[in-house]
Amino acid sequence: MPRSLSLAMILILFAVFSAAAQSSDSTAPAPPASSQDSAPPPETKKPKKVWTNENLSGANGVVSVVGDSKNKPKPASSKPANAPYVASVRKQLDKLQGEIADIDKQLVDLKNFSAGEPSTSASGIKLNKSYEREPIEVQMRALQDKKKDLESKLDALLDEARKKGVDSSELR
């Protein structure tokens, strides 16, 4: 969620700045009436020449053409990723996703408990659970922090795999 919000904010800022730049270029203020006492007007810049197909023969120098065969990008290496590395990354991803799912279940249980609703677990009695002295809100905050940490580890693992040439479809 924070990434999508950041991306949206960046796109909005880009649109605002580009619109401001376009409006300042197209609506330049008219120069004030010159008087005898004023300094000479500053030199105006020569506008750039736009070449079309009709007057391209009059151009001197090298002309860059889109789709020139000399400037083709080099194809990406289609070397397959190391199979043991992909397997280990997939195993780590599964482990992290399982831990995140467990934390989500614990958060749901804590929310239900604080609302006075029954637990989502199948049996009402859990013999391995102990009494917690921390308030529900503190426990929930700790679980959410742990979930954020696990999600950042998951993102870092995916980034590392991407940098090593592993396609995301190979990790599913």
Side-chain angles (χ1 to χ4, degrees), residues 14-161:
F14 178 76
V16 168
F17 285 126
S18 64
Q22 288 176 356
S23 67
S24 67
D25 290 344
S26 63
T27 60
S34 61
S35 65
Q36 300 291 351
D37 299 332
S38 68
E43 294 180 23
T44 58
K45 293 184 178 181
K46 185 177 177 182
K48 293 184 177 182
K49 177 69 174 169
V50 178
W51 297 99
T52 62
N53 287 339
E54 288 80 31
N55 61 3
L56 189 60
S57 61
N60 53 358
V62 178
V63 177
S64 174
V65 179
V66 177
D68 192 6
S69 63
K70 297 177 186 174
N71 298 331
K72 285 186 180 178
K74 295 180 181 176
S77 62
S78 60
K79 183 179 119 180
N82 189 2
Y85 175 73
V86 171
S88 69
V89 169
R90 190 178 304 137
K91 183 178 178 182
Q92 291 173 3
L93 287 174
D94 290 341
K95 179 183 174 190
L96 289 173
Q97 289 170 343
E99 290 178 15
I100 291 172
D102 289 342
I103 289 176
D104 286 337
K105 288 177 186 177
Q106 290 174 2
L107 283 170
V108 169
D109 281 342
L110 287 174
K111 286 178 186 175
N112 288 344
F113 179 77
S114 66
E117 297 174 10
S119 174
T120 58
S121 60
S123 63
I125 300 173
K126 291 186 178 181
L127 299 176
N128 61 350
K129 295 292 179 181
S130 62
Y131 178 75
E132 294 286 335
R133 291 183 177 216
E134 293 178 337
I136 300 292
E137 293 82 21
V138 173
Q139 292 178 33
M140 288 175 64
R141 215 173 311 126
L143 285 173
Q144 289 170 345
D145 291 341
K146 187 175 179 182
K147 181 180 176 182
K148 285 180 186 176
D149 183 46
L150 289 172
E151 288 173 342
S152 66
K153 287 180 182 178
L154 187 99
D155 290 340
L157 187 62
L158 287 172
D159 285 342
E160 178 186 341

